[in-house]
Amino acid sequence: QVQLVESGGGLVQAGGSLRLSCAASGSTFSSYNMGWFRQAPGKEREFVTCITYSGRSTYYANAVKGRFTISRDNAKNTVYLQMNSLKPDDTATYYCALGGWGTNPDDYGYWGQGTQVTVSS
């Protein structure tokens, strides 16, 4: 059983930055692709980015491309989401997910509990 725990969310002004972390339990973290999704109130869960198990390949939603960066440290069983130039539209609960690739949340097998990001204008 894998457990994912996100941290690093908070309140930030537009134009600011945050770095989210997602720590995974278990020894097989390095074998799995990882993704970040977000969900704003009243909206569907939205793909943000994903990274391959090795960290060599990444994929971003157009809405965050050039502003967000996903990375991972397999020695620490952790995936990161560096978010720069934040906008009010980035306000959402951010979730990390394990085991899938791409934009479909159904492709991911495990999810964290989420961390809230609020961007004020």
Side-chain angles (χ1 to χ4, degrees):
Q1 187 76 6
V2 174
Q3 289 189 323
L4 303 174
V5 179
E6 300 98 336
S7 60
L11 174 63
V12 64
Q13 288 189 332
S17 299
L18 282 174
R19 189 175 84 152
L20 306 183
S21 300
C22 172
S25 64
S27 60
T28 58
F29 173 80
S30 61
S31 300
Y32 292 98
N33 301 335
M34 296 292 297
W36 285 96
F37 287 74
R38 65 187 182 185
Q39 188 167 18
K43 295 188 176 181
E44 292 187 351
R45 192 162 294 193
E46 175 189 28
F47 170 77
V48 176
T49 180
C50 56
I51 189 168
T52 55
Y53 66 94
S54 65
R56 291 194 185 102
S57 294
T58 58
Y59 177 54
Y60 294 91
N62 287 337
V64 306
K65 199 174 296 183
R67 301 188 297 123
F68 291 10
T69 302
I70 189 172
S71 62
R72 66 189 297 160
D73 185 338
N74 286 342
K76 296 183 178 179
N77 278 14
T78 301
V79 63
Y80 304 98
L81 182 64
Q82 177 66 45
M83 305 186 295
N84 298 329
S85 302
L86 283 161
K87 306 174 182 180
D89 283 350
D90 295 318
T91 296
T93 301
Y94 283 71
Y95 299 90
C96 66
L98 178 143
W101 180 257
T103 64
N104 187 352
D106 292 338
D107 290 341
Y108 295 77
Y110 294 92
W111 293 81
Q113 83 290 347
T115 186
Q116 178 66 37
V117 171
T118 302
V119 184
S120 63
S121 57

